[in-house]
Amino acid sequence: MKPRNLAILLSAGLALAAAGCSSEQTPAAQSPSAQSTAGGTAPAAAAAPVTVTVACKPPKTDPRNRKTWEEDVAEFQKMYPHITLESTDNFPCFDPQTFPARLAGGQLEDMFFVPVTNTSQIISQKLAQDITPYVETVKTYKDVNKDVLSLFQADGATYGLPSAGYGTGLVYNRKLFEQAGLDPNTPPKTWAEVREAAKKITALGSGYIGFGEYAGGATGGWHFMQHLYARGGDVVKDGKAAFNSPEGKAVLQNLKDMRWTDKSMGSRLLIGWESLMQPMGAGKVGMMLGAPDVVPGVVNGFKGQFADYGVTVAPEAKHAQIGGGGFMFHPRATPDQIKAGLLWLEFQFLTPGKGQFNLERGKAIGNAVGVPDNTVFAGSPTGQAIEDLRKANATVPVDQYAGYNQGIATVTPKPEPPMAQEIYAVLDVAMSAVLSREDANVDELLAEAETKVNALLSKAGVAG
């Protein structure tokens, strides 16, 4: 699930949903009972029966992971016989177009999934319940990355917990590095080094692209944001466009120089995600910005080979765009349903060796084990335990992600801006211009984009 495809919840739609379920908007009483438990310790026999609905059961089109989910539900209910877990496979787990209607129609789960791009809007619209009194019952809560957790918090209260996360870095083709006389074990750490490596890869011959980048389809603007974050800039700040800045100018000027001075970015404009994945999978692209999940995406969808790719942190990275998501609770959820849902969340998503982190089972059923996906816990003891399990059960070359694993914990994760898709569409124009016109004026492009984005933000009432 790509965050760029999930980035917008229409404010009007959410407001309508809030009105449609106004009878359910008063949160349940928040005092936790003395029977609250978490983790592997079974609750007291006297615990009252409770049924809780939860999202994100793998669909029937993914039979392998659906089977393991059902196995986990069975194990979980043996541990907690007072809990009846009803899981739904509405796929994708979160759809911004159907979310308001599902909420208003009473079809939303007691514990529902939200991408990190949408948590602030859910909270501001009071569509999720304050679960602050319960979160510390989750055994691994203390190890959750505070920067990631903050995306589920507001005004000192916690409204959900993350279940998966990643930060963007630099994905590169190790095989091409070797062919170009570069050391694949020491990928570029600066943009100057990226430029030099890109020129050498391009020199391998016709059809080779040293550095791949998008120019449209909202994907160009999305990647502009990734470049900008890495340099320490902001897309939106205090309710106004913030990318017409030294950092924003450096992004466009660097890409323009690589395209027209170095001629290391190819001549075809890449519009949409697949347009870069195809040559990446064919072994024709040396480097691109992306999260570690680019690698299994290229392998599974575009015939790449795991052995050919490495991932490291973005050059000179100060921030990394974070993707992923977590779970929140419906305003109608009772205290017992919240406690039961948190037990499931802990079991399935937040415990080394269980659920999604049962990596021994993942290896046995043929999953790709070893690709980093550890932003939720970063370098904490829980995070290290997960990394140890990945290495012990790896089916992909984990050493090729060492630079990413070592560096990402030191880079501050940063969510996408409000009105992300609309803003990306505006920034597409600037990206397309510098990659298609040698005479493109960086200052003018950013000034024009700034004016348009400020108008969008003002019209939508985005507050500072």
mmCIF file of all heavy atoms in Angstrom, residues 77-120:
data_model
loop_
_atom_site.group_PDB
_atom_site.id
_atom_site.type_symbol
_atom_site.label_atom_id
_atom_site.label_comp_id
_atom_site.label_asym_id
_atom_site.label_seq_id
_atom_site.Cartn_x
_atom_site.Cartn_y
_atom_site.Cartn_z
ATOM 1 N N GLN A 77 -6.916 -16.449 20.563
ATOM 2 C CA GLN A 77 -8.137 -16.729 21.305
ATOM 3 C C GLN A 77 -7.955 -17.865 22.299
ATOM 4 O O GLN A 77 -8.708 -17.949 23.281
ATOM 5 C CB GLN A 77 -9.293 -16.982 20.332
ATOM 6 C CG GLN A 77 -9.662 -15.721 19.554
ATOM 7 C CD GLN A 77 -10.921 -15.831 18.739
ATOM 8 O OE1 GLN A 77 -11.586 -14.854 18.491
ATOM 9 N NE2 GLN A 77 -11.253 -17.039 18.297
ATOM 10 N N LYS A 78 -6.965 -18.725 22.109
ATOM 11 C CA LYS A 78 -6.625 -19.712 23.135
ATOM 12 C C LYS A 78 -5.997 -19.025 24.338
ATOM 13 O O LYS A 78 -6.221 -19.406 25.492
ATOM 14 C CB LYS A 78 -5.672 -20.759 22.564
ATOM 15 C CG LYS A 78 -6.324 -21.776 21.644
ATOM 16 C CD LYS A 78 -5.316 -22.806 21.161
ATOM 17 C CE LYS A 78 -5.969 -23.825 20.234
ATOM 18 N NZ LYS A 78 -4.976 -24.820 19.732
ATOM 19 N N MET A 79 -5.172 -18.006 24.059
ATOM 20 C CA MET A 79 -4.549 -17.248 25.138
ATOM 21 C C MET A 79 -5.577 -16.427 25.907
ATOM 22 O O MET A 79 -5.475 -16.259 27.127
ATOM 23 C CB MET A 79 -3.480 -16.312 24.567
ATOM 24 C CG MET A 79 -2.284 -17.003 23.969
ATOM 25 S SD MET A 79 -1.184 -15.838 23.105
ATOM 26 C CE MET A 79 -0.709 -14.723 24.436
ATOM 27 N N TYR A 80 -6.574 -15.917 25.186
ATOM 28 C CA TYR A 80 -7.588 -15.031 25.781
ATOM 29 C C TYR A 80 -8.976 -15.559 25.426
ATOM 30 O O TYR A 80 -9.659 -15.015 24.548
ATOM 31 C CB TYR A 80 -7.406 -13.602 25.269
ATOM 32 C CG TYR A 80 -6.026 -13.050 25.524
ATOM 33 C CD1 TYR A 80 -5.073 -13.017 24.501
ATOM 34 C CD2 TYR A 80 -5.668 -12.575 26.784
ATOM 35 C CE1 TYR A 80 -3.795 -12.532 24.741
ATOM 36 C CE2 TYR A 80 -4.390 -12.084 27.029
ATOM 37 C CZ TYR A 80 -3.460 -12.067 26.003
ATOM 38 O OH TYR A 80 -2.201 -11.593 26.245
ATOM 39 N N PRO A 81 -9.402 -16.601 26.086
ATOM 40 C CA PRO A 81 -10.682 -17.239 25.706
ATOM 41 C C PRO A 81 -11.898 -16.349 25.915
ATOM 42 O O PRO A 81 -12.961 -16.636 25.361
ATOM 43 C CB PRO A 81 -10.731 -18.477 26.610
ATOM 44 C CG PRO A 81 -9.799 -18.178 27.738
ATOM 45 C CD PRO A 81 -8.722 -17.326 27.168
ATOM 46 N N HIS A 82 -11.761 -15.263 26.674
ATOM 47 C CA HIS A 82 -12.908 -14.366 26.863
ATOM 48 C C HIS A 82 -13.093 -13.406 25.695
ATOM 49 O O HIS A 82 -14.100 -12.695 25.622
ATOM 50 C CB HIS A 82 -12.746 -13.564 28.162
ATOM 51 C CG HIS A 82 -11.672 -12.524 28.118
ATOM 52 N ND1 HIS A 82 -10.334 -12.840 28.000
ATOM 53 C CD2 HIS A 82 -11.732 -11.158 28.154
ATOM 54 C CE1 HIS A 82 -9.619 -11.725 27.987
ATOM 55 N NE2 HIS A 82 -10.449 -10.692 28.076
ATOM 56 N N ILE A 83 -12.114 -13.373 24.757
ATOM 57 C CA ILE A 83 -12.168 -12.449 23.625
ATOM 58 C C ILE A 83 -12.597 -13.181 22.360
ATOM 59 O O ILE A 83 -12.017 -14.207 21.992
ATOM 60 C CB ILE A 83 -10.803 -11.777 23.387
ATOM 61 C CG1 ILE A 83 -10.394 -10.954 24.605
ATOM 62 C CG2 ILE A 83 -10.848 -10.891 22.136
ATOM 63 C CD1 ILE A 83 -8.988 -10.365 24.492
ATOM 64 N N THR A 84 -13.613 -12.655 21.696
ATOM 65 C CA THR A 84 -13.974 -13.120 20.358
ATOM 66 C C THR A 84 -13.486 -12.067 19.372
ATOM 67 O O THR A 84 -13.927 -10.909 19.422
ATOM 68 C CB THR A 84 -15.488 -13.304 20.214
ATOM 69 O OG1 THR A 84 -15.926 -14.306 21.137
ATOM 70 C CG2 THR A 84 -15.851 -13.740 18.801
ATOM 71 N N LEU A 85 -12.578 -12.477 18.503
ATOM 72 C CA LEU A 85 -11.981 -11.551 17.544
ATOM 73 C C LEU A 85 -12.629 -11.751 16.181
ATOM 74 O O LEU A 85 -12.569 -12.846 15.609
ATOM 75 C CB LEU A 85 -10.475 -11.806 17.447
ATOM 76 C CG LEU A 85 -9.629 -10.728 16.788
ATOM 77 C CD1 LEU A 85 -9.509 -9.514 17.701
ATOM 78 C CD2 LEU A 85 -8.248 -11.265 16.470
ATOM 79 N N GLU A 86 -13.244 -10.717 15.660
ATOM 80 C CA GLU A 86 -13.847 -10.761 14.329
ATOM 81 C C GLU A 86 -13.052 -9.828 13.425
ATOM 82 O O GLU A 86 -13.054 -8.610 13.620
ATOM 83 C CB GLU A 86 -15.321 -10.341 14.398
ATOM 84 C CG GLU A 86 -16.189 -11.280 15.218
ATOM 85 C CD GLU A 86 -17.640 -10.854 15.268
ATOM 86 O OE1 GLU A 86 -17.943 -9.761 14.745
ATOM 87 O OE2 GLU A 86 -18.469 -11.610 15.824
ATOM 88 N N SER A 87 -12.359 -10.405 12.444
ATOM 89 C CA SER A 87 -11.500 -9.590 11.577
ATOM 90 C C SER A 87 -12.101 -9.476 10.189
ATOM 91 O O SER A 87 -12.712 -10.411 9.682
ATOM 92 C CB SER A 87 -10.095 -10.194 11.502
ATOM 93 O OG SER A 87 -10.128 -11.564 11.188
ATOM 94 N N THR A 88 -11.925 -8.306 9.585
ATOM 95 C CA THR A 88 -12.473 -8.043 8.259
ATOM 96 C C THR A 88 -11.344 -7.912 7.249
ATOM 97 O O THR A 88 -10.230 -7.514 7.580
ATOM 98 C CB THR A 88 -13.302 -6.752 8.255
ATOM 99 O OG1 THR A 88 -12.456 -5.646 8.593
ATOM 100 C CG2 THR A 88 -14.431 -6.829 9.256
ATOM 101 N N ASP A 89 -11.666 -8.221 6.000
ATOM 102 C CA ASP A 89 -10.656 -8.152 4.942
ATOM 103 C C ASP A 89 -11.027 -7.108 3.898
ATOM 104 O O ASP A 89 -10.787 -7.294 2.705
ATOM 105 C CB ASP A 89 -10.417 -9.513 4.288
ATOM 106 C CG ASP A 89 -11.628 -10.027 3.528
ATOM 107 O OD1 ASP A 89 -12.704 -9.422 3.675
ATOM 108 O OD2 ASP A 89 -11.496 -11.013 2.795
ATOM 109 N N ASN A 90 -11.629 -6.001 4.338
ATOM 110 C CA ASN A 90 -11.853 -4.892 3.409
ATOM 111 C C ASN A 90 -10.507 -4.438 2.881
ATOM 112 O O ASN A 90 -9.656 -3.980 3.649
ATOM 113 C CB ASN A 90 -12.550 -3.731 4.126
ATOM 114 C CG ASN A 90 -13.989 -4.051 4.451
ATOM 115 O OD1 ASN A 90 -14.733 -4.519 3.607
ATOM 116 N ND2 ASN A 90 -14.390 -3.832 5.688
ATOM 117 N N PHE A 91 -10.276 -4.592 1.602
ATOM 118 C CA PHE A 91 -8.962 -4.296 1.043
ATOM 119 C C PHE A 91 -9.085 -3.188 0.007
ATOM 120 O O PHE A 91 -9.982 -3.228 -0.831
ATOM 121 C CB PHE A 91 -8.367 -5.560 0.400
ATOM 122 C CG PHE A 91 -6.942 -5.369 -0.031
ATOM 123 C CD1 PHE A 91 -5.923 -5.428 0.903
ATOM 124 C CD2 PHE A 91 -6.636 -5.092 -1.348
ATOM 125 C CE1 PHE A 91 -4.611 -5.225 0.512
ATOM 126 C CE2 PHE A 91 -5.324 -4.891 -1.736
ATOM 127 C CZ PHE A 91 -4.310 -4.964 -0.802
ATOM 128 N N PRO A 92 -8.214 -2.154 0.102
ATOM 129 C CA PRO A 92 -7.155 -2.007 1.088
ATOM 130 C C PRO A 92 -7.712 -1.731 2.479
ATOM 131 O O PRO A 92 -8.888 -1.386 2.624
ATOM 132 C CB PRO A 92 -6.362 -0.809 0.565
ATOM 133 C CG PRO A 92 -7.361 -0.008 -0.201
ATOM 134 C CD PRO A 92 -8.270 -1.009 -0.836
ATOM 135 N N CYS A 93 -6.843 -1.880 3.496
ATOM 136 C CA CYS A 93 -7.298 -1.686 4.874
ATOM 137 C C CYS A 93 -7.921 -0.315 5.073
ATOM 138 O O CYS A 93 -8.830 -0.155 5.884
ATOM 139 C CB CYS A 93 -6.121 -1.845 5.839
ATOM 140 S SG CYS A 93 -5.452 -3.505 5.945
ATOM 141 N N PHE A 94 -7.422 0.676 4.366
ATOM 142 C CA PHE A 94 -7.941 2.034 4.485
ATOM 143 C C PHE A 94 -8.121 2.607 3.095
ATOM 144 O O PHE A 94 -7.181 2.618 2.297
ATOM 145 C CB PHE A 94 -6.967 2.899 5.283
ATOM 146 C CG PHE A 94 -7.414 4.334 5.429
ATOM 147 C CD1 PHE A 94 -8.210 4.717 6.484
ATOM 148 C CD2 PHE A 94 -7.033 5.294 4.506
ATOM 149 C CE1 PHE A 94 -8.636 6.033 6.622
ATOM 150 C CE2 PHE A 94 -7.441 6.609 4.634
ATOM 151 C CZ PHE A 94 -8.243 6.984 5.697
ATOM 152 N N ASP A 95 -9.315 3.062 2.807
ATOM 153 C CA ASP A 95 -9.618 3.701 1.532
ATOM 154 C C ASP A 95 -10.243 5.058 1.836
ATOM 155 O O ASP A 95 -11.351 5.122 2.383
ATOM 156 C CB ASP A 95 -10.580 2.837 0.716
ATOM 157 C CG ASP A 95 -10.855 3.402 -0.676
ATOM 158 O OD1 ASP A 95 -10.598 4.609 -0.890
ATOM 159 O OD2 ASP A 95 -11.324 2.648 -1.538
ATOM 160 N N PRO A 96 -9.546 6.155 1.512
ATOM 161 C CA PRO A 96 -10.077 7.467 1.863
ATOM 162 C C PRO A 96 -11.418 7.770 1.215
ATOM 163 O O PRO A 96 -12.179 8.597 1.732
ATOM 164 C CB PRO A 96 -8.987 8.427 1.369
ATOM 165 C CG PRO A 96 -8.222 7.664 0.343
ATOM 166 C CD PRO A 96 -8.268 6.240 0.795
ATOM 167 N N GLN A 97 -11.731 7.105 0.105
ATOM 168 C CA GLN A 97 -12.991 7.375 -0.577
ATOM 169 C C GLN A 97 -14.180 6.698 0.111
ATOM 170 O O GLN A 97 -15.313 7.179 0.032
ATOM 171 C CB GLN A 97 -12.897 6.933 -2.034
ATOM 172 C CG GLN A 97 -11.885 7.736 -2.839
ATOM 173 C CD GLN A 97 -11.853 7.321 -4.299
ATOM 174 O OE1 GLN A 97 -12.505 6.377 -4.703
ATOM 175 N NE2 GLN A 97 -11.080 8.050 -5.089
ATOM 176 N N THR A 98 -13.923 5.572 0.778
ATOM 177 C CA THR A 98 -15.024 4.852 1.416
ATOM 178 C C THR A 98 -15.053 5.021 2.934
ATOM 179 O O THR A 98 -16.044 4.684 3.569
ATOM 180 C CB THR A 98 -14.939 3.348 1.097
ATOM 181 O OG1 THR A 98 -13.701 2.817 1.624
ATOM 182 C CG2 THR A 98 -14.984 3.110 -0.406
ATOM 183 N N PHE A 99 -13.966 5.549 3.506
ATOM 184 C CA PHE A 99 -13.895 5.665 4.964
ATOM 185 C C PHE A 99 -15.066 6.457 5.557
ATOM 186 O O PHE A 99 -15.716 5.975 6.497
ATOM 187 C CB PHE A 99 -12.565 6.298 5.379
ATOM 188 C CG PHE A 99 -12.425 6.494 6.862
ATOM 189 C CD1 PHE A 99 -11.948 5.468 7.663
ATOM 190 C CD2 PHE A 99 -12.763 7.691 7.460
ATOM 191 C CE1 PHE A 99 -11.826 5.634 9.031
ATOM 192 C CE2 PHE A 99 -12.647 7.876 8.824
ATOM 193 C CZ PHE A 99 -12.171 6.846 9.611
ATOM 194 N N PRO A 100 -15.380 7.655 5.052
ATOM 195 C CA PRO A 100 -16.484 8.402 5.662
ATOM 196 C C PRO A 100 -17.813 7.639 5.630
ATOM 197 O O PRO A 100 -18.551 7.636 6.611
ATOM 198 C CB PRO A 100 -16.545 9.675 4.812
ATOM 199 C CG PRO A 100 -15.178 9.828 4.241
ATOM 200 C CD PRO A 100 -14.715 8.434 3.979
ATOM 201 N N ALA A 101 -18.093 6.992 4.504
ATOM 202 C CA ALA A 101 -19.355 6.262 4.383
ATOM 203 C C ALA A 101 -19.389 5.058 5.321
ATOM 204 O O ALA A 101 -20.423 4.760 5.933
ATOM 205 C CB ALA A 101 -19.567 5.811 2.940
ATOM 206 N N ARG A 102 -18.274 4.366 5.453
ATOM 207 C CA ARG A 102 -18.228 3.205 6.347
ATOM 208 C C ARG A 102 -18.397 3.640 7.800
ATOM 209 O O ARG A 102 -19.044 2.960 8.599
ATOM 210 C CB ARG A 102 -16.914 2.447 6.175
ATOM 211 C CG ARG A 102 -16.763 1.759 4.819
ATOM 212 C CD ARG A 102 -15.506 0.904 4.778
ATOM 213 N NE ARG A 102 -15.612 -0.197 5.729
ATOM 214 C CZ ARG A 102 -14.623 -0.598 6.518
ATOM 215 N NH1 ARG A 102 -13.456 0.024 6.516
ATOM 216 N NH2 ARG A 102 -14.790 -1.605 7.332
ATOM 217 N N LEU A 103 -17.799 4.765 8.138
ATOM 218 C CA LEU A 103 -17.937 5.284 9.498
ATOM 219 C C LEU A 103 -19.381 5.700 9.762
ATOM 220 O O LEU A 103 -19.981 5.320 10.774
ATOM 221 C CB LEU A 103 -16.994 6.468 9.702
ATOM 222 C CG LEU A 103 -17.053 7.166 11.072
ATOM 223 C CD1 LEU A 103 -16.625 6.211 12.171
ATOM 224 C CD2 LEU A 103 -16.150 8.395 11.074
ATOM 225 N N ALA A 104 -19.956 6.481 8.843
ATOM 226 C CA ALA A 104 -21.326 6.965 9.018
ATOM 227 C C ALA A 104 -22.330 5.819 9.029
ATOM 228 O O ALA A 104 -23.333 5.875 9.742
ATOM 229 C CB ALA A 104 -21.671 7.949 7.902
ATOM 230 N N GLY A 105 -22.053 4.760 8.258
ATOM 231 C CA GLY A 105 -22.976 3.639 8.161
ATOM 232 C C GLY A 105 -22.796 2.582 9.220
ATOM 233 O O GLY A 105 -23.452 1.536 9.162
ATOM 234 N N GLY A 106 -21.906 2.813 10.173
ATOM 235 C CA GLY A 106 -21.697 1.844 11.240
ATOM 236 C C GLY A 106 -20.953 0.599 10.802
ATOM 237 O O GLY A 106 -20.992 -0.430 11.479
ATOM 238 N N GLN A 107 -20.247 0.661 9.647
ATOM 239 C CA GLN A 107 -19.539 -0.511 9.127
ATOM 240 C C GLN A 107 -18.062 -0.528 9.512
ATOM 241 O O GLN A 107 -17.372 -1.514 9.259
ATOM 242 C CB GLN A 107 -19.657 -0.546 7.602
ATOM 243 C CG GLN A 107 -21.086 -0.660 7.104
ATOM 244 C CD GLN A 107 -21.181 -0.530 5.594
ATOM 245 O OE1 GLN A 107 -20.284 0.003 4.951
ATOM 246 N NE2 GLN A 107 -22.277 -1.010 5.029
ATOM 247 N N LEU A 108 -17.586 0.537 10.135
ATOM 248 C CA LEU A 108 -16.177 0.609 10.479
ATOM 249 C C LEU A 108 -15.890 -0.274 11.688
ATOM 250 O O LEU A 108 -16.687 -0.358 12.627
ATOM 251 C CB LEU A 108 -15.795 2.055 10.792
ATOM 252 C CG LEU A 108 -14.299 2.373 10.772
ATOM 253 C CD1 LEU A 108 -13.734 2.237 9.361
ATOM 254 C CD2 LEU A 108 -14.044 3.784 11.309
ATOM 255 N N GLU A 109 -14.728 -0.928 11.666
ATOM 256 C CA GLU A 109 -14.353 -1.826 12.745
ATOM 257 C C GLU A 109 -14.159 -1.071 14.067
ATOM 258 O O GLU A 109 -13.898 0.131 14.088
ATOM 259 C CB GLU A 109 -13.051 -2.561 12.407
ATOM 260 C CG GLU A 109 -13.119 -3.430 11.168
ATOM 261 C CD GLU A 109 -12.855 -2.678 9.878
ATOM 262 O OE1 GLU A 109 -12.631 -1.449 9.937
ATOM 263 O OE2 GLU A 109 -12.876 -3.322 8.812
ATOM 264 N N ASP A 110 -14.247 -1.804 15.175
ATOM 265 C CA ASP A 110 -13.948 -1.208 16.482
ATOM 266 C C ASP A 110 -12.498 -0.716 16.513
ATOM 267 O O ASP A 110 -12.202 0.335 17.075
ATOM 268 C CB ASP A 110 -14.152 -2.236 17.601
ATOM 269 C CG ASP A 110 -15.568 -2.767 17.649
ATOM 270 O OD1 ASP A 110 -16.504 -1.958 17.487
ATOM 271 O OD2 ASP A 110 -15.746 -3.996 17.834
ATOM 272 N N MET A 111 -11.603 -1.487 15.915
ATOM 273 C CA MET A 111 -10.198 -1.091 15.793
ATOM 274 C C MET A 111 -9.857 -1.061 14.307
ATOM 275 O O MET A 111 -9.847 -2.084 13.641
ATOM 276 C CB MET A 111 -9.276 -2.078 16.532
ATOM 277 C CG MET A 111 -7.827 -1.608 16.610
ATOM 278 S SD MET A 111 -6.775 -2.682 17.631
ATOM 279 C CE MET A 111 -6.418 -4.005 16.465
ATOM 280 N N PHE A 112 -9.632 0.143 13.783
ATOM 281 C CA PHE A 112 -9.466 0.290 12.340
ATOM 282 C C PHE A 112 -8.072 0.817 12.011
ATOM 283 O O PHE A 112 -7.402 1.454 12.832
ATOM 284 C CB PHE A 112 -10.540 1.215 11.756
ATOM 285 C CG PHE A 112 -10.595 2.597 12.359
ATOM 286 C CD1 PHE A 112 -9.843 3.642 11.844
ATOM 287 C CD2 PHE A 112 -11.418 2.850 13.449
ATOM 288 C CE1 PHE A 112 -9.897 4.914 12.392
ATOM 289 C CE2 PHE A 112 -11.486 4.125 14.008
ATOM 290 C CZ PHE A 112 -10.718 5.155 13.486
ATOM 291 N N PHE A 113 -7.642 0.552 10.786
ATOM 292 C CA PHE A 113 -6.308 0.943 10.323
ATOM 293 C C PHE A 113 -6.343 2.338 9.724
ATOM 294 O O PHE A 113 -7.302 2.715 9.040
ATOM 295 C CB PHE A 113 -5.813 -0.049 9.267
ATOM 296 C CG PHE A 113 -4.465 0.303 8.692
ATOM 297 C CD1 PHE A 113 -3.301 -0.060 9.348
ATOM 298 C CD2 PHE A 113 -4.368 0.996 7.497
ATOM 299 C CE1 PHE A 113 -2.054 0.273 8.823
ATOM 300 C CE2 PHE A 113 -3.125 1.331 6.964
ATOM 301 C CZ PHE A 113 -1.969 0.965 7.629
ATOM 302 N N VAL A 114 -5.269 3.108 9.972
ATOM 303 C CA VAL A 114 -5.124 4.444 9.407
ATOM 304 C C VAL A 114 -3.676 4.637 8.957
ATOM 305 O O VAL A 114 -2.753 4.382 9.726
ATOM 306 C CB VAL A 114 -5.466 5.541 10.436
ATOM 307 C CG1 VAL A 114 -5.328 6.925 9.811
ATOM 308 C CG2 VAL A 114 -6.869 5.353 10.984
ATOM 309 N N PRO A 115 -3.437 5.093 7.724
ATOM 310 C CA PRO A 115 -2.070 5.447 7.329
ATOM 311 C C PRO A 115 -1.592 6.665 8.123
ATOM 312 O O PRO A 115 -2.405 7.500 8.550
ATOM 313 C CB PRO A 115 -2.206 5.791 5.838
ATOM 314 C CG PRO A 115 -3.522 5.243 5.419
ATOM 315 C CD PRO A 115 -4.395 5.264 6.620
ATOM 316 N N VAL A 116 -0.298 6.791 8.311
ATOM 317 C CA VAL A 116 0.228 7.924 9.073
ATOM 318 C C VAL A 116 -0.119 9.260 8.410
ATOM 319 O O VAL A 116 -0.145 10.294 9.077
ATOM 320 C CB VAL A 116 1.750 7.812 9.281
ATOM 321 C CG1 VAL A 116 2.091 6.625 10.168
ATOM 322 C CG2 VAL A 116 2.482 7.727 7.944
ATOM 323 N N THR A 117 -0.390 9.233 7.118
ATOM 324 C CA THR A 117 -0.757 10.468 6.422
ATOM 325 C C THR A 117 -2.107 11.012 6.853
ATOM 326 O O THR A 117 -2.424 12.170 6.579
ATOM 327 C CB THR A 117 -0.791 10.214 4.902
ATOM 328 O OG1 THR A 117 -1.595 9.064 4.648
ATOM 329 C CG2 THR A 117 0.593 9.980 4.361
ATOM 330 N N ASN A 118 -2.918 10.198 7.494
ATOM 331 C CA ASN A 118 -4.287 10.594 7.800
ATOM 332 C C ASN A 118 -4.595 10.687 9.289
ATOM 333 O O ASN A 118 -5.706 11.045 9.667
ATOM 334 C CB ASN A 118 -5.266 9.612 7.157
ATOM 335 C CG ASN A 118 -5.162 9.597 5.652
ATOM 336 O OD1 ASN A 118 -4.585 8.677 5.094
ATOM 337 N ND2 ASN A 118 -5.668 10.612 5.002
ATOM 338 N N THR A 119 -3.639 10.369 10.145
ATOM 339 C CA THR A 119 -3.937 10.317 11.573
ATOM 340 C C THR A 119 -4.360 11.678 12.118
ATOM 341 O O THR A 119 -5.304 11.771 12.918
ATOM 342 C CB THR A 119 -2.724 9.804 12.358
ATOM 343 O OG1 THR A 119 -1.568 10.607 12.039
ATOM 344 C CG2 THR A 119 -2.439 8.349 12.020
ATOM 345 N N SER A 120 -3.690 12.753 11.691
ATOM 346 C CA SER A 120 -3.999 14.066 12.266
ATOM 347 C C SER A 120 -5.418 14.499 11.931
ATOM 348 O O SER A 120 -6.106 15.094 12.772
ATOM 349 C CB SER A 120 -2.986 15.111 11.775
ATOM 350 O OG SER A 120 -3.050 15.266 10.370
#
